[in-house]
Amino acid sequence: MNQRLTPLYQTLQQFSQHDPISFHVPGHKNGVVFPETARSFYNAILKLDMTELPGLDDLHAPEGPIAEAQNLAAEYFQADHTYFLVGGSTAGNLAMIMAACSTGDKVIVQRNSHKSIMNALELRGADPVFISPQYEKEVDRFTNPNETTLVAALQKHPDAKALILTYPDYFGRTYPLKEMIELAHDYHIPVLVDEAHGVHFSLGEPFPASALTLGADVVVQSAHKMAPAMTMASFLHHKSSIVSKERLSHYLQLLQSSSPSYPLMASLDIARSFLATISSENRVAIMRSVEKVKALFQEAGSWTIVPAEDPLKMTLHVKHSARKVAKLFEQQNIYPEFHTDNQLLFIHGLAPFQQIETLKKAIKTVDEQLKKSRMHDTIDIVPFLAGLESITELAIPYTKMERLETRHVSFQEAPGHIAAEAVIPYPPGIPLILKGERITKKQLEHITELQKNGVRLQQRDAERIVIFSASAEGEV
């Protein structure tokens, strides 16, 4: 198949060139009905924002250009089948978990997974067994579970219906995924991988191998994070004899919009072609740019660069409050991806960086400001996973939570109670406290310090947390 082709995008483009008259949805009528103040920005894309007209195919029963575009993606990514997602990797994570297990089934899950994984487990009513990540001194973070923990979980729960992992982590850190996949497959347990940040691993060296090529059964990738697709545009890849393709298709129809965005789908078609046709010269140019940008950061004395297997991810371990350092960069119109208490993540794109002099000046300015300031306050935050047992389960199963009463308590009152809501910093969207988990003092200390340092929590009340009432706890 010719990977330079973009059948869905080309079909939409050709259709719009005929100046079609719209007596159908969407309501902007090919851009005619649209406020003048915004039309100049939206006009080109509105011409591609179509519905399921003859010749434009249907995402939920593809036979034409959408089917061809998905087949091209499957060939490139080496999948048996690839689905286009218009609801982000969230839709893919929900669908793969719904397809792989049923209510009450045990699943082994990486504890520091994205909130969409936890939401899927709750919606399905699965019985999760969490395997905790290990702390890596080299990067000063909890990263991924080790093989020893997985082996123990598999031996204890050989009846698990799935193993759910995240690869790579937000910072581009990877681990021996192939060995973990093989361990699970020895028990005939499928491996579902949230590879939201690894769509570009399909390029091969110098990038790590993709979870799909390492043997995973279902892999979800956010094409919009590292490839040139529009926000929310993602892929779900299936390559399994254990997880049913028919069940995946069924749940994607349930979970995705019945009116999927054609611009989003076309951007997936374009992103796949972009990845598939990057030349060796392009790769060399990208890596030269990465090294040049990294060298600029390394010239400053206010931070060190944390190692990562993905060269596009550059994490600065700062000597000051990362929130304050991020604000100094923002004052120079340089915007990092996100920050923790002591680290800032910068993401290089899949093209040579063009504004080297601007970045060089900004780094120098920030570094000088930090040297002159009093911001040499080393933050010492107790990691929320510190002291957590390697294998844990929820205190209350999802299937019983809905009928239980809840109440709000202050953070000071919460330790020892069972959380009735998740507490999630965003980004990266990894829950600090899980719904149904017994709250510890260390978790709350970590949350309090993060709040002091400006980390935003996706929580209904910044001062209180929702717990299950004492009477509800007694019912379990």
Side-chain angles (χ1 to χ4, degrees):
M1 299 177 78
N2 184 355
Q3 290 292 335
R4 294 189 179 279
L5 295 176
T6 52
L8 179 56
Y9 169 67
Q10 290 165 344
T11 298
L12 290 170
Q13 188 181 43
Q14 290 165 7
F15 189 89
S16 69
Q17 288 173 351
H18 293 295
D19 292 324
I21 297 173
S22 172
F23 278 93
H24 55 76
V25 298
H28 59 68
K29 302 296 181 182
N30 303 332
V32 174
V33 183
F34 211 74
E36 193 66 38
T37 53
R39 185 175 295 168
S40 61
F41 286 97
Y42 279 87
N43 196 46
I45 201 72
L46 291 175
K47 293 182 184 301
L48 301 182
D49 187 28
M50 295 293 177
T51 189
E52 290 83 354
L53 299 175
L56 299 187
D57 211 356
D58 179 351
L59 177 64
H60 299 299
E63 296 178 340
I66 294 176
E68 188 178 348
Q70 290 187 151
N71 290 338
L72 279 163
E75 181 192 67
Y76 170 67
F77 289 105
Q78 301 177 49
D80 289 342
H81 189 79
T82 292
Y83 297 88
F84 283 2
L85 305 176
V86 295
S89 285
T90 291
N93 287 340
L94 293 172
M96 71 179 181
I97 290 173
M98 299 289 276
C101 64
S102 300
T103 301
D105 282 347
K106 287 182 183 177
V107 290
I108 300 173
V109 189
Q110 183 173 331
R111 170 59 180 82
N112 55 335
S113 295
H114 188 263
K115 65 175 185 174
S116 58
I117 296 290
M118 307 305 177
N119 291 341
L121 295 172
E122 181 177 354
L123 286 172
R124 172 42 90 199
D127 186 9
V129 176
F130 295 106
I131 52 176
S132 297
Q134 61 186 342
Y135 177 77
E136 289 192 46
K137 188 175 182 180
E138 185 182 20
V139 298
D140 193 25
R141 289 194 309 271
F142 284 89
T143 55
N144 53 266
N146 59 34
E147 291 179 54
T148 302
T149 302
L150 176 58
V151 168
L154 290 168
Q155 290 175 343
K156 188 176 181 180
H157 303 282
D159 55 338
K161 299 301 182 183
L163 168 63
I164 305 168
L165 298 172
T166 300
Y167 171 97
D169 70 8
Y170 208 127
F171 301 86
R173 194 74 168 168
T174 62
Y175 54 95
L177 179 62
K178 183 177 182 180
E179 289 79 354
M180 291 193 171
I181 291 171
E182 290 173 350
L183 285 169
H185 283 173
D186 286 343
Y187 288 82
H188 200 64
I189 294 174
V191 181
L192 318 179
V193 179
D194 177 357
E195 196 176 57
H197 289 266
V199 68
H200 57 302
F201 288 4
S202 59
L203 294 171
E205 293 185 357
F207 302 103
S210 167
L212 197 65
T213 61
L214 294 176
D217 294 83
V218 185
V219 177
V220 174
Q221 299 170 332
S222 293
H224 62 93
K225 293 194 187 302
M226 302 302 293
M230 293 178 68
T231 297
M232 291 177 67
S234 301
F235 295 113
L236 184 150
H237 307 294
H238 174 261
K239 192 173 186 178
S240 177
S241 59
I242 311 176
V243 180
S244 165
K245 174 179 174 291
E246 288 69 29
R247 282 175 64 89
L248 273 175
S249 299
H250 171 69
Y251 283 108
L252 283 171
Q253 288 194 45
L254 291 182
L255 294 164
Q256 294 216 94
S257 172
S258 59
S259 301
S261 164
Y262 275 83
L264 288 185
M265 291 188 288
S267 77
L268 284 169
D269 198 17
I270 293 166
R272 180 270 314 155
S273 181
F274 171 85
L275 292 170
T277 57
I278 287 181
S279 66
S280 56
E281 291 79 11
N282 292 149
R283 296 186 202 194
V284 170
I286 293 167
M287 291 312 301
R288 283 177 178 165
S289 176
V290 167
E291 293 306 316
K292 189 179 293 186
V293 171
K294 194 174 291 185
L296 289 181
F297 279 117
Q298 287 173 329
E299 289 177 3
S302 299
W303 49 71
T304 57
I305 296 182
V306 179
E309 285 75 18
D310 182 356
L312 300 186
K313 297 291 184 76
M314 301 178 194
T315 302
L316 307 186
H317 190 97
V318 300
K319 300 176 181 178
H320 315 76
S321 161
R323 175 196 181 192
K324 295 175 182 177
V325 178
K327 285 190 175 296
L328 291 178
F329 272 108
E330 290 165 10
Q331 289 170 12
Q332 302 298 315
N333 284 321
I334 305 290
Y335 291 87
E337 167 67 12
F338 90 111
H339 68 84
T340 63
D341 53 295
N342 59 2
Q343 295 184 348
L344 279 80
L345 174 62
F346 291 78
I347 301 178
H348 192 290
L350 281 172
F353 184 71
Q354 300 296 322
Q355 296 168 290
I356 288 291
E357 289 304 316
T358 301
L359 178 62
K360 184 176 182 179
K361 182 180 177 181
I363 290 173
K364 183 178 179 181
T365 300
V366 171
D367 190 38
E368 289 176 349
Q369 287 176 318
L370 291 173
K371 289 174 181 177
K372 293 176 182 178
S373 75
R374 295 175 176 264
M375 291 195 297
H376 294 279
D377 48 333
T378 301
I379 311 276
D380 185 18
I381 292 182
V382 179
F384 78 99
L385 290 170
L388 192 68
E389 294 180 12
S390 59
I391 300 173
T392 59
E393 298 179 46
L394 295 177
I396 298 177
Y398 288 124
T399 51
K400 293 186 178 181
M401 290 184 192
E402 285 190 4
R403 60 180 174 81
L404 301 181
E405 294 183 0
T406 64
R407 63 190 178 95
H408 287 76
V409 297
S410 67
F411 278 10
Q412 291 74 23
E413 298 175 80
H417 291 288
I418 299 172
E421 68 171 347
V423 179
I424 307 167
Y426 203 90
I430 297 170
L432 298 177
I433 296 175
L434 298 173
K435 184 177 180 180
E437 182 175 58
R438 197 170 294 278
I439 302 166
T440 68
K441 185 177 180 181
K442 282 184 178 178
Q443 286 173 315
L444 296 175
E445 288 174 353
H446 185 73
I447 290 167
T448 301
E449 288 300 324
L450 289 177
Q451 287 179 316
K452 287 179 182 177
N453 285 279
V455 175
R456 185 168 59 88
L457 299 179
Q458 289 186 334
Q459 188 186 356
R460 282 175 281 180
D461 189 328
E463 303 298 327
R464 299 189 300 166
I465 187 169
V466 184
I467 63 167
F468 289 107
S469 67
S471 59
E473 290 184 28
E475 294 180 32
V476 180

